[in-house]
Amino acid sequence: MKNKSFIQWCGLLGFVSFFSYALAVVFAPRAYPNYLWMQRAVSDLSAADAPSFVLWTRLAGLYGITGITCLMMACVAIRGKLNKPLRLGIYLFTAMFWVSVAGYAAFPLSQSGGQGNTPQDIMHLVVTGIVVVLSIVSLVLIMVGSFRKKYKASLGVCAAVALFLMCVGAVGTGVAPDELFGVFQRFSNLIAVNGFLVVLGMYLFFGKLEGEVC
């Protein structure tokens, strides 16, 4: 523990980011009368007109800055290390997180439960599309790089689980009853993406994002 570098300690910020976001997801509905979390999207809580907007902003205040710091330090740690697909995958995952934090802050839903009818809502959907594509591509690349010659295979397994949960969330929101929409939506944004952020943070903390190029 005493020999850990500053960069490695930044890996713990992945936990802080996840905890901040989870607090907002769990407790912000208390400021939103009649909000049924099993049916409603998380983004409804942070919509510009949502009664929970202020509480969400406070609870999720550490989410973006700590998550970005953790991932940027991971990018520094892997510079010139690992294999190309794995390194590129982590870079793209970091880019995805940047787009998510900056994009949703700039373009929150204009109205809770909005259907994308305003320019702001349309941009919110565009950001979502970019985040989804970057998430999928980055996780696939991490899997490819991790499983190459069984190189850091455990990270590949975690990426595969995250990708599977994203698919479960996407399929579930499309085919499940409306009463369960919110449940499946949380598979993607809370468990899959932010859960994998914690995994990368732990790899960084324990010095596992190292190795020769192969």
Side-chain angles (χ1 to χ4, degrees):
M1 297 290 285
K2 294 181 180 179
N3 297 324
K4 291 191 181 299
S5 66
F6 171 77
I7 290 177
Q8 285 179 284
W9 282 107
C10 286
L12 295 179
L13 293 177
F15 267 119
V16 178
S17 179
F18 180 88
F19 185 67
S20 178
Y21 189 83
L23 278 179
V25 171
V26 172
F27 292 105
R30 296 191 176 190
Y32 196 129
N34 301 318
Y35 179 89
L36 301 176
W37 73 268
M38 294 180 67
Q39 301 178 18
R40 302 285 295 275
V42 172
S43 55
D44 288 345
L45 295 169
S46 59
D49 72 335
S52 55
F53 177 79
V54 173
L55 181 58
W56 173 277
T57 302
R58 290 174 178 172
L59 293 175
L62 293 176
Y63 165 67
I65 186 64
T66 54
I68 286 174
T69 302
C70 174
L71 291 172
M72 291 300 292
M73 291 300 100
C75 289
V76 171
I78 65 174
R79 185 174 54 186
K81 302 174 181 177
L82 308 181
N83 57 53
K84 189 173 294 184
L86 182 51
R87 196 165 60 244
L88 181 57
I90 294 175
Y91 289 158
L92 289 179
F93 191 86
T94 302
M96 176 278 298
F97 200 86
W98 268 102
V99 171
S100 175
V101 172
Y104 289 134
F107 304 107
L109 288 175
S110 62
Q111 184 177 6
S112 183
Q115 301 300 312
N117 296 321
T118 69
Q120 183 169 322
D121 293 330
I122 292 173
M123 287 305 301
H124 183 92
L125 293 176
V126 170
V127 170
T128 298
I130 296 173
V131 167
V132 169
V133 171
L134 286 176
S135 297
I136 294 174
V137 173
S138 65
L139 290 173
V140 169
L141 285 171
I142 290 172
M143 289 166 58
V144 170
S146 298
F147 291 137
R148 177 181 289 182
K149 298 180 181 179
K150 297 182 179 180
Y151 184 71
K152 298 190 182 299
S154 60
L155 184 58
V157 170
C158 291
V161 171
L163 184 58
F164 172 75
L165 291 174
M166 282 188 63
C167 293
V168 169
V171 173
T173 54
V175 303
D178 292 341
E179 291 77 11
L180 297 176
F181 176 86
V183 175
F184 285 98
Q185 199 249 356
R186 283 158 175 78
F187 271 93
S188 297
N189 60 17
L190 176 60
I191 302 176
V193 174
N194 292 294
F196 191 71
L197 166 62
V198 173
V199 171
L200 283 177
M202 288 300 94
Y203 266 75
L204 176 61
F205 178 72
F206 288 110
K208 300 297 184 180
L209 290 181
E210 299 177 358
E212 300 299 325
V213 177
C214 63

